[in-house]
Amino acid sequence: MNLRPVLSLIVAAGACLAEVSIGLAAPSGAVALAAPSAFAPAVSRQQALVRMVRQDCGSCHGMRLTGGLGPALTPQALREKPVESLAVTIYSGRPGTPMPPWRAMLSYEEAQWIVEQLLSGFPEEPMGRPH
C-alpha cells in the first residue's frame, strides 16, 4: 500500500490546522508556542542556519528575503502569521507548491528559531564562510 498520498494529506491538514492556530503539536510531541521560545542553537549552528536561509531560502524568496518565486520573508510580510504555522511550513513544506520540507536539514525547534529571527529582522550572513 502506498502511504505517500495519505501522508501528504496529513501534512497538508497539519499546516492548515496550524494556520488557524488551534494548538498543533510540534513533531517532537511538544506543543508549538506562539511566544518566542527559550531555544537558541549554538552560535556555530546559528551561523549555519543564517547561511542556509540567506542562500537556500533566498534562492526562491529573494536574496534580501523580499520575495521572488516565494513570498517575502520580511517582518512586515510575516507579522500577522502565527509562529507555529510558519515553523510547520519550514519544517514540513507545502505540498503541491515549490516549498520543500526542510526537516532533513534542521529540527522543528530550529525552524521555530528561524521564524523568530525572520519576525525580528533576519541577520545578515557573516563575512567569510564559517569553518
Side-chain angles (χ1 to χ4, degrees), residues 59-71:
S59 66
C60 287
H61 293 279
M63 296 308 287
R64 305 286 312 147
L65 305 178
T66 55
L69 171 64

Side-chain angles (χ1 to χ4, degrees), residues 15-48:
C16 291
L17 290 174
E19 285 205 8
V20 294
S21 200
I22 63 170
L24 179 67
S28 66
V31 175
L33 303 174
S37 70
F39 174 81
V43 173
S44 61
R45 182 63 177 154
Q46 288 180 23
Q47 291 171 342

Side-chain angles (χ1 to χ4, degrees), residues 1-15 92 95 103:
M1 178 176 177
N2 184 357
L3 294 178
R4 186 176 220 84
V6 174
L7 292 174
S8 292
L9 286 173
I10 291 169
V11 169
S92 299
R103 67 177 154 264

